[in-house]
Amino acid sequence: MKELFALVKRNCKLFFRDKGMFFTSLITPVILLVLYSTFLAKVYRNSFVSALPEGVTVSDALINGTVGGQLVSSLLAVSCVTVAFCSNLLTVQDRVSGARNDLDMTPVKSGTLALGYFVSSAVSTLIICFVAAAAGLVYIAATGWYMSAGDVLFLLLDVFLLSLFGTALSSLVNCGLKTNGQASAVGTVVSSGYGFICGAYMPISQFAPGLQKIISLLPGTYGTSLLRNHAMAGVYREMEAQGFPAEVVSGIRDSVDCNIYFSGKGVSVPAMYLVLVGATVLIIAAYVVICRVKRKS
């Protein structure tokens, strides 16, 4: 444990000392929040209004609360993974600088080294993503607040689990990279493409049926849906309190991916947690095994 703690402390210090990595990771959620609120807010609002049945009127406050919850959940769904790839760049930098070779020569076990990089990246990612979550909650409060204390706690739990998933995924991908150029290229691809395949930029319901089936196999899809469910739970309760028909509320939930379907069957929230946690554990196990094999070779 002493070796692991020392490695985590060393890696976190190096990450926060490197102003390039730190500010790149920190500014990503801020830029996304500005872009989302500037461009996507109107798209989400028009999409929501157009999906309402004829004769159903909704107050501006409720519409703003719906759009705010959708925006913040999209922001966090992307940030938890893209920030993880930024904070995990230290593993590649150590490999490029030769620091990893020095660590490999020490008596520290390969599994401890791998775990040290993972934990330090997770800590850095969680710090930034929780700051992003706080900024998102402030945005929701300014647009239309309907969340309960339980909704906020579950939202933070979703951020925690999705950040661990992003850290595990970035650790597994980065363990095979040998240059900073390769790491930057991977980070660019993830930053530009992950938001689409996880349903953050565009609801899965708007994709072609074949693509919907493929996306339903990805763990990040369920992380996005969990964030949607808890960021917008208060909005749905308010709709029911105002007398919205159950089928209308269900249709709205379908349109923003709060309801996810796998092989035509609805996936419950506990099942979504199971998929996300299970995928994270499997990826971490694969990461540790690969690191051990590489050190032996």
Side-chain angles (χ1 to χ4, degrees):
M1 289 299 294
K2 289 183 179 180
E3 293 88 352
L4 178 61
F5 179 77
L7 285 170
V8 172
K9 184 178 180 181
R10 175 252 182 195
N11 294 341
C12 288
K13 281 186 175 180
L14 288 177
F15 172 76
F16 287 105
R17 189 181 299 171
D18 189 328
K19 299 300 188 294
M21 282 195 300
F22 174 64
F23 284 112
T24 299
S25 302
L26 185 62
I27 202 172
T28 298
V30 177
I31 292 176
L32 287 176
L33 181 59
V34 173
L35 292 177
Y36 281 18
S37 59
T38 304
F39 298 103
L40 284 183
K42 186 176 181 180
V43 176
Y44 286 165
R45 184 185 182 92
N46 292 339
S47 177
F48 173 72
V49 172
S50 63
L52 293 174
E54 294 184 5
V56 176
T57 58
V58 183
S59 64
D60 288 340
L62 191 57
I63 294 177
N64 291 335
T66 304
V67 173
Q70 192 174 358
L71 282 174
V72 170
S73 59
S74 297
L75 162 71
L76 295 177
V78 176
S79 297
C80 289
V81 175
T82 56
V83 170
F85 273 84
C86 293
S87 64
N88 210 283
L89 288 176
L90 181 63
T91 60
V92 181
Q93 290 187 356
D94 278 356
R95 203 172 292 123
V96 173
S97 66
R100 181 56 189 266
N101 293 332
D102 296 336
L103 292 173
D104 286 336
M105 295 296 293
T106 64
V108 180
K109 296 180 180 180
S110 58
T112 303
L113 282 174
L115 189 59
Y117 280 114
F118 173 81
V119 174
S120 60
S121 296
V123 170
S124 302
T125 302
L126 285 169
I127 291 173
I128 294 172
C129 288
F130 278 136
V131 171
L137 291 174
V138 171
Y139 177 79
I140 292 177
T143 56
W145 182 272
Y146 293 95
M147 299 178 68
S148 66
D151 296 334
V152 174
L153 291 177
F154 274 114
L155 183 72
L156 296 178
L157 175 62
D158 300 338
V159 171
F160 176 78
L161 293 177
L162 194 56
S163 296
L164 291 184
F165 168 76
T167 303
L169 184 62
S170 63
S171 298
L172 182 63
V173 173
N174 286 351
C175 72
L177 306 181
K178 298 180 179 180
T179 66
N180 288 327
Q182 292 175 348
S184 299
V186 170
T188 301
V189 172
V190 172
S191 299
S192 59
Y194 179 77
F196 288 99
I197 63 175
C198 75
Y201 296 153
M202 183 186 299
I204 301 172
S205 57
Q206 297 184 15
F207 287 103
L211 190 56
Q212 290 184 33
K213 293 180 180 179
I214 296 175
I215 295 177
S216 66
L217 299 173
L218 304 178
T221 302
Y222 299 96
T224 303
S225 183
L226 286 170
L227 289 167
R228 286 264 203 275
N229 274 284
H230 296 131
M232 303 176 68
V235 171
Y236 297 135
R237 289 194 297 268
E238 180 64 21
M239 290 180 181
E240 293 173 354
Q242 292 185 12
F244 276 57
E247 58 272 15
V248 173
V249 177
S250 179
I252 295 173
R253 292 175 62 90
D254 287 342
S255 67
V256 297
D257 296 336
C258 285
N259 293 335
I260 296 292
Y261 298 91
F262 184 81
S263 297
K265 297 181 180 179
V267 181
S268 64
V269 169
M272 294 180 190
Y273 277 119
L274 184 61
V275 170
L276 187 59
V277 173
T280 303
V281 172
L282 289 176
I283 295 174
I284 293 174
Y287 164 66
V288 173
V289 169
I290 291 176
C291 288
R292 286 182 176 179
V293 171
K294 289 182 64 176
R295 183 170 184 180
K296 288 181 180 180
S297 62

